[in-house]
Amino acid sequence: MVERVVVAIDGGPASTAALDWALERAKGQPVNLELTTVVELGWAPAGRPDDDFQPVYERALADATRRVEHEAPNVKKTSYVRRGVPADELVRASESADLLVIGTNKTGVLAGAVYGTLPLRLAAHSRCPVVVVPATWKPKAGSIVAGFADDATAAGALAFAAGEAVRRGRVLDVVHAWSIPATIAVEYGAVIPFAELREAHSAILAEAAGRVRAAHPGLEVRDVLEQGPAAMVLVGASGEAELVVVGTHGRGAVGSLFLGSVSHDVLLNLKCPVAVIPRPDRVPDPVEP
């Protein structure tokens, strides 16, 4: 089945980076690319009349469409102007997509005006994986980093990361961070079973990495066990990575920003594109019609 990828367009630098990333990833692969912009009704950029707002976004979408035609003529593409609240409309778009791509850290005329915190909202509530691309992104070869947590989000994150590593011919680093729980520190006092805890986490990581190797025999998979806060470990790994993949439970209304501390902190400190993978059995959030 041909993958359907939605790219959020608003004409800013991070929007350009998101399209750059999507086009780079589409090389040599069958992809249906949907370029989407959302016009938030009743709002216009400072100093612009209301009736000039929609053409600004339509021009950005037309420019992006022409660019795809020029740089990737073999990629099947469509373009849409959606009207409404950006978070709601892009969550709706994600319902029939395989991947949603959006930029972050924009500057310029429309910087943050509509899409300021939107990447965080989408990562929390999208029905499909979301890739958040920093405005400074440039193509580079590196490992694919999968943040592994021993919970319900693990399977989806590992599967997506392995697929990306195979697709790009990259090494997959399965990164698991561990720390000493406060309850153990209190219970054991000064005598903390450090070696036993590390061995237990190492076994959990080895089992997860083994499952990935069994599913993808030709893929090079490295186990990376680090002590420390998971978000800090993953942000550190992102400096040399091509892509970081994390899972999220996602919860709350579409307008909320709650992701979970790890995925939230990684997105706020990303040094490379970050893919956030929703838990498959997450109950859909209500989106007002």
Side-chain angles (χ1 to χ4, degrees):
M1 189 173 81
V2 178
E3 185 181 43
R4 180 168 178 255
V5 178
V6 174
V7 183
I9 301 293
D10 74 352
S15 170
T16 299
L19 183 55
D20 288 344
W21 185 89
L23 288 174
E24 180 70 18
R25 182 177 178 274
K27 287 181 178 177
Q29 301 288 338
V31 170
N32 288 342
L33 206 59
E34 178 189 311
L35 309 179
T36 291
T37 193
V38 180
V39 175
E40 188 168 17
L41 301 181
W43 186 93
R48 294 179 182 272
D50 287 348
D51 60 1
D52 191 40
F53 176 53
Q54 183 169 334
V56 168
Y57 276 79
E58 289 179 342
R59 286 196 294 272
L61 186 61
D63 290 344
T65 302
R66 284 192 293 270
R67 187 177 159 211
V68 174
E69 291 172 347
H70 176 71
E71 297 183 15
N74 295 326
V75 171
K76 184 178 179 181
K77 67 192 175 307
T78 54
S79 59
Y80 289 95
V81 176
R82 300 174 185 268
R83 295 171 178 82
V85 177
D88 293 349
E89 293 306 315
L90 290 175
V91 167
R92 285 193 181 96
S94 75
E95 293 174 355
S96 58
D98 298 303
L99 187 66
L100 179 60
V101 184
I102 187 167
T104 191
N105 297 330
K106 298 181 183 62
T107 58
V109 175
L110 301 177
V114 175
Y115 288 175
T117 58
L118 185 54
L120 288 174
R121 299 179 193 277
L122 288 180
H125 304 291
S126 174
R127 308 294 186 263
C128 70
V130 176
V131 174
V132 181
V133 182
T136 56
W137 178 81
K138 299 295 180 186
K140 73 172 183 180
S143 65
I144 306 300
V145 171
F148 171 69
D150 188 24
D151 61 17
T153 69
L158 285 177
F160 183 89
E164 290 298 301
V166 170
R167 179 188 193 118
R168 302 159 188 251
R170 303 288 190 255
V171 173
L172 174 64
D173 288 332
V174 181
V175 178
H176 179 57
W178 72 282
S179 57
I180 299 172
T183 53
I184 290 182
V186 170
E187 180 181 352
Y188 284 84
V191 182
I192 301 220
F194 182 91
E196 289 86 347
L197 285 171
R198 190 182 190 285
E199 184 177 345
H201 282 279
S202 179
I204 291 170
L205 173 60
E207 181 181 358
R211 291 196 300 268
V212 176
R213 292 187 184 98
H216 304 278
L219 176 62
E220 182 180 353
V221 181
R222 299 188 296 208
D223 306 21
V224 182
L225 182 65
E226 297 283 353
Q227 184 184 8
M232 185 180 298
V233 168
L234 289 173
V235 169
S238 71
E240 300 299 325
E242 187 169 338
L243 177 70
V244 170
V245 182
V246 294
T248 184
H249 294 278
R251 62 195 70 179
V254 172
S256 76
L257 291 178
F258 189 84
L259 280 171
S261 60
V262 174
S263 50
H264 183 272
D265 289 351
V266 170
L267 283 175
L268 290 177
N269 296 279
L270 75 175
K271 298 178 181 178
C272 71
V274 173
V276 181
I277 315 302
R279 193 178 70 185
D281 60 345
R282 179 165 64 83
V283 176
D285 304 315
V287 178
E288 295 299 326

